[in-house]
Amino acid sequence: TLTMPSLPPQTETRRLRHAASNDLLTLEKLNALSRRICTAPPSIEEFQHQLNAILAQHPDPRLHLAGSVLAASSFAIFFLWDGLLAGGIAVLICWMERYLSPFCMNGVEFQFIASFLSGVSTLLLCRFGMQFHADKVLIGIIMLLIPGIMLTNSIRDILLGDIISGSLRLVEAILMAATLALGMMAAIWLMGGISA
């Protein structure tokens, strides 16, 4: 929404075809660029060059992988082998986010496929390893797929008065959480239950 003294507020809404992510480093750089523009407006060419330089930077996928492995392992770390298996399944989830996600029609489809495949992989590996506790490992890997940020942002939007966008995000978060549960339930049903 753009507000100018001489014009009524101008609002433009667009549908995002790709999943939004929370790259806070890029957001901070864009905020710094907007502050620089307000204090000392550059030429259009210079602005376009600076904007393209910021948008061309992509986060290091190794950091995402390390964070996912650390997060999944941390929820199952009370049992050493469970933490290691959860970290291994986290690598599978990161691989699916990178290579499988572009082929899915939407986030709900990816959520089901990712939760189903990670659940089946976990239960298969737990069948062969006597030291594994499948329920602990499943808790660790589910945490990587829960749409927590989306749910938090939806509640924030609703509390700030953006009822429409907040409600849409809330419905999407609930739908993705339900799809996650369905994918895990399908994996558990296919594998004949959890053998802790």
Side-chain angles (χ1 to χ4, degrees):
T1 300
L2 175 66
T3 305
M4 298 184 70
S6 59
L7 294 172
Q10 305 292 315
T11 301
E12 182 176 344
T13 304
R14 292 187 183 182
R15 173 147 172 79
L16 298 177
R17 296 290 177 189
H18 303 288
S21 62
N22 295 295
D23 187 353
L24 298 179
L25 182 60
T26 301
L27 179 63
E28 197 277 326
K29 288 180 180 179
L30 290 172
N31 280 338
L33 176 62
S34 67
R35 287 188 203 95
R36 285 197 306 270
I37 290 171
C38 290
T39 56
S43 65
I44 294 176
E45 294 80 16
E46 179 62 24
F47 163 73
Q48 193 65 47
H49 175 70
Q50 292 177 8
L51 180 63
N52 290 339
I54 292 172
L55 296 178
Q57 297 174 356
H58 297 290
D60 189 356
R62 293 174 297 182
L63 291 176
H64 177 68
L65 177 65
S68 296
V69 169
L70 180 63
S73 299
S74 297
F75 283 101
I77 201 63
F78 291 113
F79 303 94
L80 176 63
W81 297 111
D82 295 342
L84 294 175
L85 178 58
I89 299 296
V91 173
L92 172 67
I93 292 173
C94 285
W95 180 86
M96 286 189 286
E97 286 176 349
R98 186 171 181 124
Y99 297 107
L100 179 65
S101 180
F103 296 105
C104 295
M105 290 186 303
N106 53 44
V108 173
E109 181 185 6
F110 172 75
Q111 191 82 337
F112 180 81
I113 293 171
S115 61
F116 177 76
L117 291 179
S118 59
V120 167
S121 303
T122 299
L123 293 171
L124 272 175
L125 291 171
C126 286
R127 293 274 194 269
F128 298 119
M130 300 299 293
Q131 307 253 348
F132 296 128
H133 302 88
D135 53 344
K136 312 307 190 276
V137 178
L138 287 175
I139 289 170
I141 62 173
I142 282 174
M143 293 302 173
L144 296 180
L145 296 170
I146 288 177
I149 294 176
M150 185 184 302
L151 181 64
T152 304
N153 287 339
S154 69
I155 300 299
R156 184 203 62 199
D157 286 348
I158 290 171
L159 292 176
L160 291 176
D162 298 326
I163 303 299
I164 294 174
S165 65
S167 299
L168 290 174
R169 283 184 193 222
L170 181 62
V171 169
E172 186 179 2
I174 291 171
L175 187 60
M176 291 185 78
T179 307
L180 167 62
L182 285 174
M184 282 293 172
M185 285 171 43
I188 292 168
W189 175 79
L190 181 68
M191 298 302 297
I194 297 175
S195 59

